[in-house]
């Protein structure tokens, strides 16, 4: 992103608006987040296209539309303490950091977590805390969270993570529903978890277990 307006990001924001993303704060957060810094150099020319792209460790940076949709569904305010499971490139966390008070993001691959952290410092996003570990257990030391976003597909209702959602809180997550994955929005209403299906999606799997040395 050089100085001034990057027409590619403006075109992306227009495409997201046309696709039905109406939250102007979400669109502004996307406009201010240079996605080209979050993809491998060889894909930088495609960074502002509305499609997922491969990143290191065999993982994927989500399609911008899905990032926008999940962020909008999360109803984030500047008072929110947010947990993200699945840092990946760090792009989703960077978008959330423009809207939230603080973002805690956890990734099982050291390589990805370190690369994401470097991007956060380059962009001076000082309200993101990154951790290497198994996000299926959430982040107990920092719980409860006002908002939780899971960016890898859970095999079933992610109860351990949902137990770290504050009353009145919202969690958005792709969850397997037979062969398809459905994006679900959970709300903790007075201690009871309610769920709502948003749409079908395709994410890399949420993998249980210790972080690999990679
Ligand atoms: N939010 C990311 C996209 C994430 S892709 C972005 O904006 O780029 C999903 C990520 O979840 C992958 O990096 C994968 O390694 C990670 N992941 C999968 N299972 C995990 C687990 N149990 N704990 C933490 N991270 C996990």
């Amino acid at each position: 992103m050089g100085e001034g307006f990057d027409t590619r990001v403006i075109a992306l924001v227009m495409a997201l608006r046309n696709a039905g993303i109406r939250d102007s704060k979400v669109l502004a957060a996307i406009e201010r987040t240079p996605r080209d810094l979050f993809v491998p150099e060889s894909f930088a020319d495609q960074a502002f296209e509305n499609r997922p792209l491969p990143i290191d460790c065999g993982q994927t940076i989500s399609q911008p539309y899905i990032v926008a949709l999940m962020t909008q569904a999360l109803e984030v305010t500047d008072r929110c303490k947010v947990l993200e499971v699945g840092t990946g490139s760090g792009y989703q966390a960077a978008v959330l950091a423009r809207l939230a008070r603080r973002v805690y993001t956890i990734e099982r691959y050291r390589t990805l977590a370190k690369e994401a952290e470097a991007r956060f410092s380059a962009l001076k996003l000082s309200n993101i805390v990154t951790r290497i570990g198994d996000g299926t257990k959430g982040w107990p030391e920092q719980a409860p969270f006002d908002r939780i976003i899971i960016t890898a597909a859970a095999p079933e209702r992610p109860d351990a993570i949902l137990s770290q959602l504050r009353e009145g809180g919202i969690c958005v997550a792709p969850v397997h529903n037979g062969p398809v994955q459905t994006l679900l929005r959970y709300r903790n209403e007075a201690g009871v978890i309610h769920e709502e299906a948003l749409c079908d999606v395709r994410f890399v799997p949420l993998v249980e277990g210790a972080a690999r040395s990679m």
Side-chain angles (χ1 to χ4, degrees), residues 12-130:
L12 173 61
V13 166
M14 276 178 61
L16 298 177
R17 202 189 297 274
N18 290 338
I21 304 298
R22 288 293 139 82
D23 188 325
S24 55
K25 286 188 178 162
V26 171
L27 293 169
I30 286 179
E31 192 173 327
R32 292 172 60 205
T33 308
R35 192 168 181 258
D36 51 340
L37 300 188
F38 291 84
V39 302
E41 243 173 73
S42 52
F43 289 101
D45 59 329
Q46 296 171 53
F48 296 97
E49 288 171 27
N50 188 16
R51 59 161 83 155
L53 290 170
I55 55 173
D56 283 346
C57 306
Q59 305 302 312
T60 307
I61 177 173
S62 305
Q63 181 188 4
Y65 172 71
I66 294 295
V67 172
L69 187 72
M70 290 176 82
T71 308
Q72 179 172 268
L74 211 53
E75 299 175 15
V76 181
T77 73
D78 58 9
R79 290 162 58 178
C80 287
K81 177 179 183 180
V82 182
L83 171 67
E84 179 191 32
V85 176
T87 313
S89 68
Y91 179 70
Q92 172 75 76
V95 170
L96 287 167
R98 313 270 187 202
L99 303 166
R101 180 161 57 84
R102 197 169 288 280
V103 178
Y104 294 84
T105 184
I106 183 162
E107 169 58 51
R108 64 193 293 274
Y109 284 107
R110 170 178 297 274
T111 305
L112 293 175
K114 290 293 168 200
E115 289 172 351
E117 259 185 328
R119 293 171 181 134
F120 302 150
S121 4
L123 293 172
K124 300 191 167 59
L125 294 170
S126 54
N127 61 338
I128 307 177
V129 187
T130 310

